[in-house]
Amino acid sequence: MDDDVAAWKLVAVYLVWLLAAAAMALVAVLLLGTIASLFGADSQSDVYRRMTEIGAVVVFIILAATPFLVRRKMSGESEETRDG
């Protein structure tokens, strides 16, 4: 029974992380869009909008994958220290 509770907690924490990742991606893209506008980019153009959409998706995917990448990195280091 404890394994089921731990699994649900892990899923709940990851869903909260996904919401945070979406918020961070939006903030990052809005910040970059503002900086691009300061340098003369036309915020009404289709190219500008497409770049911000793609940027938001890329940042979100990177942030969504971060827990798995960190876990792999940490478990890889612990295996090396046990063997070495």
Side-chain angles (χ1 to χ4, degrees):
M1 190 70 154
D2 290 333
D3 291 336
D4 291 338
V5 172
W8 281 110
K9 284 183 181 180
L10 185 63
V11 169
V13 169
Y14 186 66
L15 289 175
V16 170
W17 172 253
L18 287 178
L19 288 173
M24 287 186 280
L26 288 175
V27 168
V29 169
L30 288 174
L31 180 64
L32 291 175
T34 303
I35 293 170
S37 293
L38 290 174
F39 286 107
D42 181 20
S43 62
Q44 300 299 320
S45 69
D46 289 335
V47 174
Y48 178 85
R49 289 182 183 181
R50 182 66 59 184
M51 281 186 356
T52 56
E53 291 170 359
I54 292 172
V57 169
V58 168
V59 171
F60 174 74
I61 289 172
I62 290 170
L63 288 173
T66 299
F68 298 105
L69 298 174
V70 169
R71 188 179 127 240
R72 176 180 285 174
K73 177 74 173 165
M74 291 178 74
S75 66
E77 289 177 358
S78 64
E79 290 175 6
E80 290 176 3
T81 57
R82 278 188 281 166
D83 294 338

